Amino acid sequence: MSELRDWQVLWPGENQLGEGILWHPELQTLFWVDIVCSELFAMPWQRPDLVSCTLLPFKASHVALCDDSDYLLLATNKGIAKWHITEQRLDDIIEIPQLEKGVRCNDAAVAEDGSYWVGLMSEPPEAERGCIVRVAPSGKVETIKTDISIPNTMLWHERHFIFADSGLHTLFRQPITADGSLSGEAEVLLTLDSHDQTPDGSTLATDNSIFNAIWQGQRIQQLSPSGKLLEEHYLPVYSPTSCTFCGPELDYLAVTSARVDVPAPVLEEFPLTGALICKKLPITGTLARTFHWPEQ
């Protein structure tokens, strides 16, 4: 496919489970993690040759903005970590009681009200053992949704929460109340019929379209907020995992990918699987929100 040539390799590495990508506008840097290898990556936009990799003292699944620009917020198997960027150290942590044995964090995002919503899943995944918790700026942690297998994609649009249960191969939309809680029943936006392919991480464009990475699907699906398929962006990687708009004008889409569970013959066909790739698009994206760390 000709559009495959439009994708640029930002980092030609081999992430086992690249995930949780973040564009940091102040630092003009992309951050992401490899969940399996407990690694944090940083790539300055102007110097993609200077990608750094830090071995973390925990397993992290998502990177978010912290109100103190010296720090990142990391969703980890120990809780929500306040990680010093330059000194590469853990300064504080918000414990998540729901992180029991055999459960880890997965996808996450900062909501419109400033709270940090974090998906939890069992490892290996078990049906309906996962949940979504909300970490308030006060540090209070509460469960807001249960009976999820693999929580992914956390977006907010017009008083609705859009999320995926990758175990069900489905994207959902559910109403949100004035206080930021979920209400009513979840509505199905999209279900994939393929046994192997499933919605993974997503990001939102300024035209409100959803860019969703299709695990083992070699593509990004661009959807309307009502779930209508607008366009498919085919990739030179087999298992895209998460994506974000980046660059000074937010007009590039960066995509992480994973080599875990990919058969050797497929890796031969898609040798870039595990790399970080990007593509310039005719639309722009939205910035990630910032979490304000609780005052002591």
Side-chain angles (χ1 to χ4, degrees):
M1 296 180 182
S2 60
E3 63 261 37
L4 293 181
R5 294 195 295 268
D6 296 332
W7 288 92
Q8 173 187 351
V9 179
L10 291 174
W11 178 72
E14 297 183 351
N15 280 157
Q16 291 303 299
L17 189 50
E19 271 284 10
I21 191 166
L22 169 76
W23 170 249
H24 197 302
E26 184 172 343
L27 300 180
Q28 294 285 288
T29 295
L30 281 166
F31 292 93
W32 74 99
V33 294
D34 187 327
I35 299 177
V36 170
C37 298
S38 299
E39 293 171 333
L40 171 66
F41 292 85
M43 192 211 80
W45 185 251
Q46 298 299 331
R47 293 297 306 271
D49 56 314
L50 296 181
V51 173
S52 64
C53 174
T54 301
L55 183 62
L56 298 169
F58 35 58
K59 182 176 289 187
S61 62
H62 185 263
V63 190
L65 294 173
C66 187
D67 55 329
D68 186 335
S69 61
D70 290 334
Y71 293 87
L72 294 173
L73 195 70
L74 302 178
T76 83
N77 63 338
K78 303 296 184 182
I80 306 307
K82 187 178 182 182
W83 182 260
H84 198 284
I85 298 173
T86 56
E87 298 183 11
Q88 300 180 9
R89 70 167 191 265
L90 173 67
D91 268 14
D92 203 355
I93 197 160
I94 300 173
E95 294 184 355
I96 299 178
Q98 295 86 342
L99 275 173
E100 59 187 13
K101 184 178 181 181
V103 174
R104 69 163 174 84
C105 292
N106 201 45
D107 206 357
V110 178
E112 294 171 316
D113 64 359
S115 59
Y116 190 40
W117 293 34
V118 184
L120 308 182
M121 58 176 284
S122 62
E123 198 171 44
E126 297 178 27
E128 300 185 348
R129 191 181 171 191
C131 66
I132 297 175
V133 301
R134 179 171 62 182
V135 183
S138 65
K140 178 184 177 182
V141 180
E142 61 179 331
T143 300
I144 58 171
K145 192 164 190 66
T146 59
D147 302 327
I148 296 179
S149 301
I150 306 174
N152 271 307
T153 289
M154 297 188 189
L155 302 173
W156 289 262
H157 176 259
E158 294 185 350
R159 308 310 302 169
H160 283 81
F161 175 53
I162 298 170
F163 66 98
D165 188 335
S166 298
L168 298 179
H169 308 264
T170 301
L171 270 174
F172 296 93
R173 180 175 63 181
Q174 189 166 349
I176 298 178
T177 62
D179 67 356
S181 302
L182 296 178
S183 68
E185 297 295 325
E187 168 195 0
V188 172
L189 290 185
L190 170 75
T191 296
L192 297 181
D193 295 330
S194 170
H195 174 71
D196 298 319
Q197 299 177 13
T198 190
D200 205 319
S202 297
T203 192
L204 199 64
T206 50
D207 67 354
N208 292 320
S209 60
I210 301 164
F211 284 74
N212 176 242
I214 304 298
W215 172 264
Q216 296 190 348
Q218 311 101 52
R219 68 193 187 280
I220 298 286
Q221 285 192 335
Q222 185 179 350
L223 309 164
S224 73
S226 63
K228 179 183 177 182
L229 180 61
L230 302 175
E231 190 172 350
E232 293 192 312
H233 304 265
Y234 286 89
L235 310 171
V237 298
Y238 181 69
S239 284
T241 53
S242 67
C243 54
T244 191
F245 283 91
C246 60
E249 306 300 325
L250 291 178
D251 55 353
Y252 283 84
L253 185 72
V255 182
T256 55
S257 57
R259 296 173 71 86
V260 67
D261 297 331
V262 180
V266 176
L267 288 176
E268 291 181 7
E269 182 181 358
F270 294 92
L272 288 176
T273 296
L276 177 70
I277 61 175
C278 79
K279 178 182 180 180
K280 186 177 176 62
L281 294 179
I283 62 175
T284 57
T286 56
L287 288 172
R289 301 182 187 90
T290 298
F291 181 81
H292 294 270
W293 194 264
E295 294 182 4
Q296 300 297 323

